[in-house]
Amino acid sequence: MLVKTLVILLALIGLAVPIAASLGWLGLILQFTDSPMPLHRAISDMAWQTSTDFLLVAIPMFVMMGEILLRAGITERMYDGIVKWLGWLPGGLMHSNIGSSALFAATSGSSVATAATIGTVAVPQIKKRGYNESLFLGTVAAGGTLGILIPPSINLILYGLLTNTSVPELYLAGFLPGFLLALLFMATVVIACMIKPEWGGEQLRHTWAERLRALPSLIPPLGIFVVVVGSIYAGLATPTEAAALGVVASMGLAALNGKMSIDMMRQAIEGTMRTTAMIMLIIIAAVFLNFVLSIIGLTQALTDFVTGLGWTPMQTMLMIVAVLVLIGCFMETLSMLLTMAPLITPIVVALGFDPVWFGILLMVLLETALITPPIGINLYVVQGIRKGGPMIDVIKGALPFVVTMFVMLGLLLIFPNLALWLPSLVY
């Protein structure tokens, strides 16, 4: 049954069937072949319950917050400010790409939005400053993945919903690994530029006076972060209410920048509706598929199979990591999260691992999937911004950062407290 399910899913994806349709069709096929009951009759009820879940209201709020910040011109000023502080390092603007991605990730909650936003500002600098194009593009693609891990993260909200795990705990758990991964990305750039100094482009120098003058441009995204995350841990708001506060704060910043207008809000709302519709369609299809898998007994069969192997918990976890890395090469990250989290988390908990820790490990695996060919979405986002040149340039530039993510996975496996220290401190 497991092999059949995997073959059908890969066949649908290989035929370029949209992900939401692939998940829905897989559920329908398994229902007709393995279930004695007409499970499709529950689709409408599940669609309604899923669409009206209070926690999921946070998703369009976070998407809209990112849309407003992008159109308010705050991102460009933030990027220029970070250039002043990080441009002196070997690799110059490539560190600014990663630093800006980390800061923007703390406001947008989306990896694709982070890569697209920072890429739009950064890519024109490649030829102007004489950088190695592949590595520069790799920093944009890899830096964008931080949107999944650094709070507030849409994917962490979905994981919490699917596995009944506390979202505030997941947010706390994502802090240290998220910023540590950003530092590891920067270390990767430094090593690459020490081996090949010509890849580092023009050396940028700024005075301390210039750096201090740039600080106000970094305050708006940090302010949004404090409003959203701070309100959660101060006990003033739930994640959904905090997301709404973030939208109000981003509108206030847009007004202060003189960018607030009916046309700007119309564009932001349209972008939010398109992104939210896509996400919700995939969520509804995945919820139906998970329902079918549970009814036909595949979830329990998989758990029994893995726990019956007789392997140690760490051996089993390494196998799970290897399988998810492989799946990530062929499956879009949101679909991978919605399909795999309900299947694998019960196994992980049965093995004695913490679901909060596994949530962070899974986010790093999803980040890896974002920049591994052939389905790595951030690779296509960066290639689209670039508007020319072979796709292989982006893939080659991202590969060193895939290795860095494997290092991060190893650190999480060896030192689980990287993710669990902050939650244990607060809760």
Side-chain angles (χ1 to χ4, degrees), residues 89-346:
L89 291 166
L93 293 183
M94 289 189 277
H95 296 287
S96 302
N97 296 344
I98 296 165
S100 298
S101 295
L103 196 53
F104 189 77
T107 60
S108 75
S110 165
S111 286
V112 172
T114 301
T117 303
I118 302 303
T120 302
V121 179
V123 167
Q125 302 294 323
I126 297 175
K127 289 184 170 59
K128 183 179 177 182
R129 304 287 185 181
Y131 288 97
N132 176 270
E133 191 164 13
S134 283
L135 188 62
F136 193 97
L137 294 170
T139 61
V140 177
T145 65
L146 296 169
I148 281 181
L149 189 53
I150 297 176
S153 163
I154 292 172
N155 292 61
L156 282 175
I157 290 175
L158 291 173
Y159 175 83
L161 181 73
L162 291 166
T163 61
N164 199 28
T165 306
S166 165
V167 173
E169 284 191 54
L170 287 167
Y171 274 8
L172 278 175
F175 274 113
L176 285 179
F179 289 107
L180 175 59
L181 185 57
L183 290 174
L184 289 174
F185 284 162
M186 293 173 70
T188 304
V189 172
V190 169
I191 292 169
C193 292
M194 287 176 68
I195 296 171
K196 293 278 189 178
E198 65 272 17
W199 288 359
E202 178 185 337
Q203 191 72 31
L204 301 176
R205 299 289 182 189
H206 297 97
T207 65
W208 279 102
E210 290 175 316
R211 290 171 183 164
L212 293 173
R213 283 197 298 269
L215 282 178
S217 64
L218 305 181
I219 292 174
L222 289 173
I224 293 284
F225 178 77
V226 169
V227 167
V228 174
V229 178
S231 62
I232 294 174
Y233 296 111
L236 300 174
T238 64
T240 301
E241 292 164 345
L245 286 173
V247 171
V248 173
S250 62
M251 291 172 67
L253 287 175
L256 286 174
N257 281 356
K259 299 287 186 179
M260 192 67 176
S261 66
I262 293 175
D263 186 58
M264 188 276 283
M265 286 303 299
R266 179 184 59 79
Q267 293 177 24
I269 291 170
E270 285 179 359
T272 302
M273 290 174 66
R274 280 194 297 269
T275 304
T276 304
M278 176 195 69
I279 292 173
M280 289 306 299
L281 191 59
I282 295 173
I283 290 173
I284 291 168
V287 167
F288 172 65
L289 174 60
N290 293 328
F291 171 67
V292 173
L293 295 178
S294 177
I295 293 295
I296 66 177
L298 183 61
T299 306
Q300 189 58 47
L302 182 61
T303 304
D304 293 342
F305 169 74
V306 173
T307 53
L309 289 173
W311 293 1
T312 66
M314 185 54 70
Q315 287 174 330
T316 307
M317 179 57 67
L318 290 173
M319 180 196 72
I320 289 171
V321 168
V323 170
L324 289 176
V325 168
L326 183 62
I327 290 174
C329 293
F330 301 98
M331 200 171 192
E332 187 269 329
T333 51
L334 183 59
S335 311
M336 180 177 162
L337 170 64
L338 295 171
T339 308
M340 295 295 138
L343 280 174
I344 295 176
T345 306

